[in-house]
Every structure is written in C-alpha cells, then in structure tokens.
Amino acid sequence: MFSKLKDFFCKTYPIFRYDFFIPVALYKRIEAVEGEVSPQSIRLFFSKAPYSLSKGQLQITQEANKLFFVQIAFYEEDKRAHFQKEMEDYKEVFPFWTVFPHSFHGAPRWNQGYQEHYRDTFLKYWHFLSIEEQEKYMETYHCPEDWRLWLKDYRQ
C-alpha cells in the first residue's frame, strides 16, 4: 500500500520547455485582446483557448519596455512542438533601440545577461531580413542614425 502511495505522490513527469521573447505581432494581439501587455495580461491571454495554459506552466519576466520573456513548461512533447510551430508565424521582434533606448551597441550590458540574450534574438531576426526589408524595418521603428550606421557596417 505504501509503495503505491509513494509512486502516486513521487512520480515524475518529463517537462518540455519552450521559451521566447514576445514578438511584435503577438504583443499587439495581446494588447488588443487584453487591453494592455503586462505579465498578468500575458498569463490571462495564454490561459484562454486555444492555449489553455495553467498558471504553473508559465513564467513571465518583463526585461524592459515592450520586452517580455516567457518560459512555458509542457508536459507533452507534441503540445510543445505544436506551440513552437505556431510561434514560427511570429518572427518580427522589437528593435534593440526601442527595447533598450539608453543602451547602444558595444555598451557594457550589450554582452551580458538578458541584453545579450535579446541582442542575439534581434540579430538573428535582422539576418533573416533582406536588405530592402531591413531598410523598411529601420524606417518603421525610427532607427537612430548611430544604429543605422552600425547595422549597415554589421551587414557587411
């Protein structure tokens, strides 16, 4: 009897994690549905169908203005894979100069912690864009001149 109770209470389940920064289109969708974007509104958004994630599955950290890092624990690999596939539709991320307006390329935090993690995310997206799309992106997000020069140098 004791071993059955022990098995019931001590059984471990595999956890499949997926983590990401909230991309632009998803940010706007959450804002439209919930009226704001905050850790609470993100949690509420993902608690509804089609996601139906529980509070315990989500860990949400606000790193900076418009920058939310979300970690989700899935108990089934196929649900994680399905969620990951759906997230591939959301590629565009906020530019570094919008998220960290007082930081610049090469700043001390540029290569540390969450700024380094976001820098890598941003530059991965940047490489994904064609030169024409990069120009449009810089115009859309009012790219400061020093960033514009650096990105053009970085492109080469």
Side-chain angles (χ1 to χ4, degrees):
M1 171 82 170
F2 177 72
S3 66
K4 287 184 180 182
L5 283 173
K6 180 182 168 212
D7 288 345
F8 178 75
F9 286 107
C10 298
K11 187 169 182 162
T12 59
Y13 296 93
I15 296 176
F16 305 95
R17 298 204 174 272
Y18 184 72
D19 57 303
F20 61 100
F21 290 103
I22 298 281
V24 175
L26 185 57
Y27 183 96
K28 290 177 180 178
R29 188 169 158 209
I30 293 169
E31 189 173 43
V33 171
E34 303 300 335
E36 69 169 353
V37 181
S38 67
Q40 296 79 13
S41 66
I42 295 168
R43 190 175 312 284
L44 182 60
F45 179 82
F46 283 121
S47 72
K48 300 173 187 173
Y51 306 108
S52 303
L53 299 172
S54 70
K55 183 178 181 180
Q57 288 179 269
L58 291 164
Q59 183 174 352
I60 303 163
T61 307
Q62 183 170 5
E63 305 286 357
N65 181 36
K66 296 185 177 185
L67 184 62
F68 295 87
F69 186 67
V70 179
Q71 296 172 301
I72 303 174
F74 291 94
Y75 302 111
E76 298 170 27
E77 169 59 20
D78 62 327
K79 287 185 179 180
R80 186 203 60 80
H82 178 74
F83 185 85
Q84 182 176 359
K85 185 168 177 57
E86 184 175 321
M87 291 305 296
E88 289 173 4
D89 293 339
Y90 300 108
K91 295 201 183 304
E92 183 177 343
V93 297
F94 287 107
F96 201 88
W97 58 88
T98 298
V99 174
F100 302 109
H102 302 295
S103 189
F104 56 93
H105 55 86
R109 300 271 311 161
W110 173 255
N111 291 319
Q112 297 175 352
Y114 60 86
Q115 284 192 12
E116 178 182 19
H117 187 191
Y118 193 70
R119 176 206 65 198
D120 295 344
T121 300
F122 169 73
L123 291 176
K124 181 179 175 184
Y125 173 70
W126 182 255
H127 285 296
F128 167 78
L129 300 174
S130 68
I131 292 175
E132 295 79 22
E133 291 170 325
Q134 288 175 353
E135 290 296 327
K136 184 178 179 193
Y137 183 85
M138 287 189 291
E139 290 300 318
T140 301
Y141 290 102
H142 310 291
C143 183
E145 190 59 31
D146 59 333
W147 276 99
R148 190 177 292 274
L149 293 171
W150 185 82
L151 287 169
K152 285 184 181 179
D153 287 345
Y154 184 77
R155 196 185 294 159
Q156 300 165 357

